[in-house]
Amino acid sequence: MRLGVLDVGSNTVHLLVVDAHPGARPLPAHSHKVELRLAQLLDEDGAIGPEGVDKLVGVVQEALQAAEDKGVEELLPFATSAVREASNADDVLARVQTETGVELQVLTGAEEARLTFLAARRWFGWSAGKLLVLDIGGGSLEIAYGIDEEPDAAASLPLGAGRLTAAWLPGDPPEPDAIRALRRHVRAQIARTVGEFSRFGAPDHVVATSKTFKQLARLAGAARSADGLYVQRELKRGSLESWVPRLAGMTTAQRALLPGVSEGRAEQLIAGAMVAEGAMDLFGVETLEVCPWALREGVILRRLDQMQSA
């Protein structure tokens, strides 16, 4: 059947259409993506303002039309941290449902981490052993660890690249004092969770998902997206540590000229790099591998599992 996943994230609203059936890998058929940056549209009270809600409704309507055009039989709509943590989340969800007919399922941070872990496990298989999975979104950082398809530990921290950029790095380029303050904040947040994971022992394989990690790996010399899904892409901590101060000294326009960096993500790349560096350092990770599958694929895989067991 043809499934559609509508991901209302902190940076983008992304419709992924796949051809899928239980027991087979989902085959991408169409992608429709709009950068909305909901994480940066929150007002002082933590609410998504009228303009942001108007944009969200319009983008969801566009995605619905694209899903219909592509023959989607079932749509799986969900929202993550930007909507989840908005002070007016209930009003936003109600308006989206009233005006579009779409009932967004709001995932908890732990659910995000578990579903992303499922996707990584299916991609790498059982031979990968104990997995540590890191995912940096626009609003949050997800961490999960385990040897099965359900992680033994999962955590979600408010360390998304968009959120941190808006709250901590107003300058272009950011002031050195702001960079230092953000570094302290990021590392203190991550350090609180390390013990929860370290009691399970060292992972056999460390995996990262998300656009942030893909861009950082590309800067460090990994293959381009155009080279295909099945090319191994790694990020080494030493390479990342050398890039962080360089990125901090660049303007947004300068970062946008770097290989693999999209104009829409250039502003928040330094914050994302600092989160990645902090996580790799505090978890003792020297090298990680970038996984092409992430949360959207996890949602699809869970739905296929439910269909198989029905």
Side-chain angles (χ1 to χ4, degrees), residues 80-94:
T80 56
S81 64
V83 173
R84 178 173 69 236
E85 295 166 15
S87 59
N88 61 336
D90 290 343
D91 293 337
V92 172
L93 294 169

Side-chain angles (χ1 to χ4, degrees), residues 21-168:
H21 65 268
R25 65 186 177 91
L27 295 174
H30 179 70
S31 177
H32 176 87
K33 185 188 301 184
V34 178
E35 285 195 351
L36 200 55
R37 301 190 196 181
L38 283 176
Q40 298 181 40
L41 292 177
L42 302 179
D43 62 23
E44 294 179 355
D45 298 321
I48 300 174
E51 181 183 358
V53 179
D54 288 343
K55 288 181 179 178
L56 176 57
V57 168
V59 170
V60 170
Q61 288 171 334
E62 284 179 27
L64 277 178
Q65 185 61 57
E68 180 183 322
D69 292 345
K70 297 300 177 182
V72 168
E73 298 176 56
E74 182 179 351
L75 187 67
L76 308 172
F78 66 90
T80 56
S81 64
V83 173
R84 178 173 69 236
E85 295 166 15
S87 59
N88 61 336
D90 290 343
D91 293 337
V92 172
L93 294 169
R95 185 168 163 205
V96 169
Q97 184 171 5
T98 298
E99 297 195 25
T100 70
V102 172
E103 184 177 357
L104 291 171
Q105 177 191 1
V106 180
L107 299 179
T108 67
E111 285 174 328
E112 281 191 61
R114 287 197 294 268
L115 288 165
T116 302
F117 185 89
L118 171 63
R121 170 58 73 196
R122 294 279 177 92
W123 181 268
F124 289 106
W126 299 113
S127 62
K130 292 177 287 187
L131 288 181
L132 174 64
V133 179
L134 305 172
D135 179 87
I136 301 171
S140 58
L141 162 69
E142 272 69 51
I143 308 167
Y145 174 100
I147 196 167
D148 297 319
E149 291 198 337
E150 182 70 19
D152 296 311
S156 179
L157 304 177
L159 297 177
R163 176 201 297 269
L164 296 178
T165 299
W168 293 81

Side-chain angles (χ1 to χ4, degrees), residues 265-281:
R265 302 278 184 142
E267 181 184 14
Q268 56 186 254
L269 185 60
I270 177 57
M274 293 171 70
V275 174
E277 180 193 33
M280 291 182 76
D281 187 9

Side-chain angles (χ1 to χ4, degrees), residues 241-253:
E241 288 174 345
S242 71
W243 267 104
V244 169
R246 294 167 65 183
L247 292 171
M250 293 179 181
T251 64
T252 298

